[in-house]
Amino acid sequence: MHKACRKLELKYDWKPDNGCWKRDQNHQIIRAESQYPSAPRAATQFEYHEDKESFYSYVVRTCRAELTSILKGSLQEWEEVHAVFLRAHLELKKKGSGLAIYDKNCPNNVPLKASRLHPQLTLSKLVPRIGEFESAPRVIEFKNEQGEVTLTNYMVSSHYDDRLHLRDHQARMTRRLERAEAREDLKLRYQHDKKEAKYPSFDAKNRFRTLAMTFRFRRAHVCVAVRDPLLRKLAWHVVAFEREKAMAELRLQLKQERAHWYRSPENRRLSYRLWVEQQALKGDKAAISQLRGWAYQAKRDERTAYLSDTVIECAVSDDIAPVELKGYTHHIHRDGAILYKKEGVTQMIDRGETIEMARPFENEGDNMVAGLRLAEQKSGEKRVFSGPREYVEKACAWVRDLNEMGETSLTLTDPLQQKRFCEMRPQDKPAPIVFDSPNLTP
C-alpha cells in the first residue's frame, strides 16, 4: 500500500508522505530505512527489571539530538563529533571494524555500538565526508592552588551513573542523587536485616548424632550378648531397621517443628518486595519512593484509581513521608500512593508529583487547606493548580487569603497563576473563612 501511494504521488506530483517506501534523489521508489535502530534488548530488560537508566538511554538522551543536528549540517572534522561525547563524559573509539561509545568513568564496561545511537555514525558514512578516523582530543584541566578544577577545554555537563532511575531523569540532579542514595541505603538495610535475622537450627545435628550413637551402642551390645552368629546377624538387621525407622521419625519431627516455626508471621523470611512494603507502611520515605518506582516501571493495572481532576502539581520525584493532619488518617497503597481519609472515606491522594483532592471547597474547605499543607512540605520547585478553570481561580484566591492570614507561605510557580494571584482585587476574593488549622507533624 505504501509503495502504491508513492507511485501515485510521483504520477500526480503530490507532496510525498512518510512510509515504509520512499522516493530517492533519482525519483526511484525504494524501501525506507528506519531512522534510528531500536534499543538493545539488554538495555530494555535492565530498565524494566531495575527501574534504572541504562547506558543506552543515557547516551540517547544526552547526545542524539545534538549529534543529529551536526550530522545534518556541514560537518568538517572529527573534533565536532568528539566534542558532543566529551561533554557527556563519553568517548568515541574504534572497535574492530566499526565505532563504539565508551563511558569514561568505567571504560571496561560493555560499550554501545555507535550506529545504535545514529545510523550515520559509522566509518563507512563519515570517512568519505571528513577523512580517516581521528581519536578524541585530550581533555585538559586547569586547577587552582587548592587542586580544584577551574577550567577545562571541554566542559563536562553530565555523566552516566547506573544508580539513577529512569523515571526521574527530568528531576534535578541533587534530588536524583538523593533518591539513588536512599534506595541504595534501603537495599543495604534489607541485607543487614536479613543477615541479622536469627533462624534456629533446632539442634538437628546433635539430635541425629545422639540417635546414631544410641544405635551404635546397641549394635556393640549385640556383639557381646548374642554368641550365635546367625542370631547375631539377625539382631543386627533388627537394630539397623529400627535405626532407619527412628531416623525417619526424627526427620519428620524436625520438618514439623520447622513448619510450625515458619508459620508464625514474625519468623517468616521476607522477600525484598514484602520487606519494602512493610517499611513503607511504617512511613519510610525511601521505601515509598521504591514502591512508586515499581508501580511506574511495571505499569500495573492495580494502581490506585484517580480520585479527582482537582490537582496540585508538584515537581518530578517530589516525595515526602506521610504527614499527620488533624482529622485525617493516612494509608499507604502498594503502588506508593498515600491516601488521606476522613471517617473512612478517601479525601486526598499524594502520588509524589501530584496531590489530588476530592471536593476541595466543601465543609469550609477542609480538603483544600489540608492539600495546601501537603504542598507546603514539598520542595517548591513546582506548585501549579490543575483542573477546571473555576477551581484554579478559586484556589489562587485561597492561597492569597491563607498567606495574608499567616496560615501558609506558599508561592505559585505558574506565571499565569502568579499573575492572577497578584492582580486579584479584594472584591474578587471569597469572604474570609474561619477554620481550624490542621496540626501538622512530619
Side-chain angles (χ1 to χ4, degrees):
M1 183 183 68
H2 284 239
K3 192 174 182 180
C5 290
R6 300 298 88 76
K7 288 183 178 180
L8 290 172
E9 292 165 356
L10 184 62
K11 179 178 180 180
Y12 294 105
D13 196 23
W14 292 342
K15 181 180 178 181
D17 202 353
N18 295 325
C20 56
W21 290 81
K22 67 176 184 179
R23 288 189 296 181
D24 63 6
Q25 297 177 349
N26 299 321
H27 297 289
Q28 299 295 320
I29 299 175
I30 60 174
R31 180 169 286 278
E33 297 179 357
S34 177
Q35 184 179 5
Y36 299 116
S38 58
R41 187 166 180 263
T44 56
Q45 286 183 333
F46 175 77
E47 292 176 352
Y48 180 82
H49 294 291
E50 298 291 333
D51 187 26
K52 294 181 180 179
E53 186 175 33
S54 66
F55 183 59
Y56 168 81
S57 294
Y58 171 76
V59 176
V60 168
R61 178 171 61 84
T62 56
C63 300
R64 176 174 279 175
E66 187 177 359
L67 188 67
T68 301
S69 176
I70 290 175
L71 293 176
K72 285 183 178 180
S74 56
L75 184 61
Q76 300 294 328
E77 52 188 7
W78 282 98
E79 191 276 337
E80 296 180 52
V81 178
H82 287 304
V84 176
F85 296 107
L86 291 176
R87 285 192 285 271
H89 208 58
L90 305 170
E91 187 172 359
L92 183 67
K93 295 182 181 179
K94 258 190 172 184
K95 186 176 186 294
S97 59
L99 297 174
I101 303 167
Y102 290 79
D103 182 7
K104 296 191 72 174
N105 276 342
C106 304
N108 294 327
N109 287 358
V110 178
L112 175 67
K113 189 177 179 182
S115 59
R116 289 276 188 182
L117 176 63
H118 198 287
Q120 298 294 323
L121 195 60
T122 61
L123 289 174
S124 60
K125 300 288 180 63
L126 292 180
V127 168
R129 292 181 62 182
I130 52 179
E132 292 296 326
F133 177 77
E134 299 175 5
S135 299
R138 187 167 67 93
V139 177
I140 303 173
E141 296 179 345
F142 300 92
K143 300 181 180 180
N144 57 17
E145 297 177 354
Q146 288 76 28
E148 300 173 345
V149 178
T150 58
L151 186 65
T152 179
N153 55 340
Y154 293 97
M155 183 62 68
V156 177
S157 58
S158 62
H159 62 88
Y160 175 64
D161 190 339
D162 59 4
R163 300 177 303 162
L164 303 181
H165 292 257
L166 178 66
R167 76 181 182 101
D168 57 0
H169 69 83
Q170 293 180 343
R172 289 190 177 181
M173 182 55 66
T174 53
R175 200 156 68 253
R176 291 192 73 188
L177 291 173
E178 288 175 0
R179 285 163 61 85
E181 291 171 359
R183 293 196 186 184
E184 290 297 323
D185 178 68
L186 191 68
K187 290 181 180 178
L188 290 176
R189 282 193 281 136
Y190 171 70
Q191 295 297 334
H192 179 267
D193 288 357
K194 189 176 177 182
K195 188 179 296 184
E196 292 295 319
K198 302 297 182 183
Y199 297 98
S201 63
F202 300 96
D203 202 23
K205 187 175 180 179
N206 288 331
R207 291 165 72 177
F208 276 113
R209 184 180 295 169
T210 302
L211 190 62
M213 187 67 69
T214 301
F215 283 97
R216 193 175 297 120
F217 287 144
R218 288 183 60 181
R219 181 183 173 89
H221 176 73
V222 169
C223 292
V224 176
V226 182
R227 292 299 180 181
D228 186 274
L230 293 177
L231 291 177
R232 185 188 306 138
K233 188 173 183 180
L234 180 61
W236 281 347
H237 284 304
V238 172
V239 170
F241 172 77
E242 291 179 351
R243 180 182 183 277
E244 291 301 319
K245 180 182 176 182
M247 288 290 184
E249 290 176 349
L250 180 57
R251 281 193 290 269
L252 289 175
Q253 183 180 353
L254 286 170
K255 184 177 180 181
Q256 291 174 357
E257 291 177 5
R258 290 191 180 101
H260 177 73
W261 189 83
Y262 280 110
R263 272 197 295 269
S264 179
E266 62 270 13
N267 297 331
R268 195 173 303 154
R269 177 179 289 182
L270 298 177
S271 65
Y272 182 57
R273 183 179 287 270
L274 291 176
W275 182 85
V276 169
E277 289 178 2
Q278 285 194 357
Q279 298 302 308
L281 292 175
K282 296 176 183 177
D284 189 283
K285 178 179 173 181
I288 293 172
S289 177
Q290 179 65 76
L291 288 180
R292 288 173 177 161
W294 282 332
Y296 178 88
Q297 162 256 325
K299 296 181 179 178
R300 295 185 294 236
D301 293 334
E302 56 191 66
R303 285 176 61 96
T304 305
Y306 287 98
L307 179 66
S308 171
D309 60 349
T310 52
V311 175
I312 302 176
E313 296 182 4
C314 304
V316 176
S317 310
D318 213 343
D319 299 323
I320 59 172
V323 175
E324 297 295 335
L325 297 171
K326 184 178 179 180
Y328 293 84
T329 60
H330 64 261
H331 167 74
I332 301 172
H333 198 264
R334 288 190 62 183
D335 62 359
I338 305 175
L339 283 62
Y340 291 88
K341 298 183 178 182
K342 183 180 288 187
E343 297 178 355
V345 179
T346 302
Q347 305 292 338
M348 293 184 297
I349 298 179
D350 178 11
R351 302 180 188 272
E353 300 175 9
T354 59
I355 299 172
E356 302 169 19
M357 298 167 292
R359 302 169 296 280
F361 302 108
E362 293 183 8
N363 298 323
E364 298 184 346
D366 286 349
N367 291 345
M368 187 67 197
V369 175
L372 294 175
R373 293 290 186 272
L374 292 179
E376 195 174 16
Q377 301 300 305
K378 303 281 186 174
S379 66
E381 295 172 14
K382 182 180 180 183
R383 193 178 288 122
V384 178
F385 294 113
S386 175
R389 181 177 179 180
E390 181 182 1
Y391 156 75
V392 172
E393 293 184 354
K394 202 169 183 180
C396 291
W398 272 66
V399 171
R400 185 184 180 101
D401 281 345
L402 293 175
N403 286 349
E404 291 178 353
M405 295 167 60
E407 295 289 341
T408 64
S409 58
L410 293 174
T411 57
L412 304 179
T413 57
D414 181 71
L416 294 178
Q417 293 183 13
Q418 183 65 29
K419 182 179 179 181
R420 171 65 179 165
F421 176 88
C422 296
E423 293 179 349
M424 193 173 297
R425 300 187 306 274
Q427 57 269 27
D428 293 334
K429 298 185 297 182
I433 297 175
V434 180
F435 49 82
D436 293 330
S437 175
N439 184 16
L440 186 151
T441 305

